[in-house]
């Protein structure tokens, strides 16, 4: 059982930056796949934003690639999401999630690589979320 607590959200202007943190407790395991999801007020489900596996391989949704960076510090049991050049469409509640079971992958022909399928239903451990609001 893993407990996750997010922090670092806030209100910023477009073009600004924020760094989200997620601290884990309750027998953390470095082999867990860690990810960030977000859900805006008009979205019916949580959207996968970025993920990182036990070997530090990272994945990003096309909408945030080049602007967001996911990282983790196993010694501190902490996951991070550095968000730069924020846009109004990034406004959402951001959640961190963890799952021991390996995620399924699919072939992304555009990127010519195997990528994880970030589905909220595949994650069993969640934080309570931190709000990010980006204004024009």
């Amino acid at each position: 059982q893993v407990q996750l607590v997010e922090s670092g959200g806030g209100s910023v202007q477009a073009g600004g930056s924020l760094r989200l943190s997620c601290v884990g407790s309750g027998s953390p395991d470095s082999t867990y796949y860690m990810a960030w999801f977000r859900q805006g007020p008009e979205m019916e489900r949580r959207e996968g934003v970025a993920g990182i596996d036990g070997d530090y391989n990272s994945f990003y949704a096309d909408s945030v690639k080049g602007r967001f960076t996911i990282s983790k510090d196993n010694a501190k049991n902490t996951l991070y999401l550095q968000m730069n050049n924020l846009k109004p469409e990034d406004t959402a509640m951001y959640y961190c999630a963890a799952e021991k079971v390996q995620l399924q992958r699919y072939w992304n022909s555009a990127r010519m690589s195997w990528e994880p399928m970030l589905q909220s239903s595949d994650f069993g451990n969640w934080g309570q979320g931190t709000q990010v609001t980006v204004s024009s």
Side-chain angles (χ1 to χ4, degrees):
Q1 188 69 35
V2 177
Q3 290 76 50
L4 304 172
V5 180
E6 306 97 330
S7 63
S11 181
V12 299
Q13 295 185 45
S17 300
L18 286 173
R19 188 181 75 161
L20 306 184
S21 298
C22 175
V23 179
S25 62
S27 301
D29 191 327
S30 63
T31 64
Y32 273 66
Y33 191 94
M34 305 294 298
W36 287 97
F37 286 79
R38 66 185 181 185
Q39 185 170 24
E42 299 180 357
M43 300 173 67
E44 61 181 18
R45 70 176 189 274
R46 296 176 184 180
E47 171 192 33
V49 176
I52 186 167
D53 65 18
D55 295 320
Y56 292 85
N57 296 304
S58 59
F59 163 80
Y60 301 93
D62 289 337
S63 60
V64 307
K65 193 171 186 178
R67 298 187 297 119
F68 292 10
T69 301
I70 188 171
S71 62
K72 64 176 181 178
D73 186 331
N74 291 334
K76 297 181 179 180
N77 297 321
T78 304
L79 177 73
Y80 303 97
L81 183 66
Q82 178 65 48
M83 305 185 294
N84 297 324
N85 191 25
L86 285 162
K87 303 176 180 180
E89 50 263 44
D90 294 319
T91 295
M93 183 72 76
Y94 283 71
Y95 302 86
C96 64
E99 179 55 53
K100 180 67 174 180
V101 178
Q102 291 191 353
L103 304 180
Q104 291 190 346
R105 291 178 175 269
Y106 71 98
W107 178 252
N108 187 318
S109 59
R111 297 179 179 175
M112 294 294 288
S113 65
W114 291 98
E115 297 184 343
M117 297 177 66
L118 292 186
Q119 301 289 334
S120 60
S121 60
D122 290 335
F123 288 78
N125 301 280
W126 294 87
Q128 64 273 67
T130 184
Q131 179 67 39
V132 171
T133 301
V134 185
S135 60
S136 300

